[in-house]
Amino acid sequence: MTQFEITKAATFDAAHHFPNEPEGSPYRRMHGHSFQVEATVRGEALDPVHGWVADLGALDTALKTAAARLDHGLLNDHEGLEAPSLERLCLWFVAQLQPDWPGLCRITVARPTIHERCTLTL
């Protein structure tokens, strides 16, 4: 059995803060980042017509739709992101994508301008 992994990426900009940080903490103040999210789907290339794991265009649309829900907003306003760490962003994207993408095997959320990233492997 040959397994392939296909990956698409999307970007979004959003603000956040960590309300439970002590007074004076820079994390407590609202601030923003540019984010990049990558979704990887693993599977066999079983599609009899195209010979692919899944339609990359459909994965692109699904990922960009999820990212658009967060774009230019306050992450803290979304369920599950009340304390919006990179780890919780990974979990949020899994919740958005996994129902329609059962082969989802990895989500990476990065803040490229400050060289930070988090990967959740499923």
Side-chain angles (χ1 to χ4, degrees):
M1 169 171 50
T2 303
Q3 294 284 302
F4 296 91
E5 291 183 356
I6 60 171
T7 302
K8 289 301 289 187
T11 59
F12 63 99
D13 298 298
H16 71 149
H17 64 97
F18 289 90
N20 295 327
E21 286 291 307
E23 287 294 332
S25 168
Y27 302 118
R28 187 177 175 104
R29 292 191 313 259
M30 190 177 312
H31 59 283
H33 296 282
S34 293
F35 292 89
Q36 179 178 5
V37 58
E38 294 180 353
T40 300
V41 174
R42 179 184 300 132
E44 294 182 59
L46 296 177
D47 182 280
V49 175
H50 302 98
W52 61 27
V53 173
D55 182 344
L56 279 164
L59 180 58
D60 185 57
T61 298
L63 184 59
K64 286 180 178 175
T65 298
R69 291 185 190 119
L70 303 178
D71 192 39
H72 286 83
L74 179 62
L75 296 177
N76 301 70
D77 289 344
H78 296 271
E79 186 175 339
L81 297 177
E82 294 82 5
S85 63
L86 289 174
E87 293 84 353
R88 288 188 176 158
L89 277 165
C90 286
L91 292 169
W92 188 88
F93 277 101
V94 167
Q96 302 304 302
L97 296 173
Q98 200 168 41
D100 294 324
W101 297 91
L104 186 68
C105 66
R106 185 170 43 257
I107 291 286
T108 299
V109 178
R111 295 186 288 227
T113 60
I114 57 174
H115 312 290
E116 295 178 342
R117 67 188 309 115
C118 179
T119 298
L120 174 60
T121 303
L122 305 168

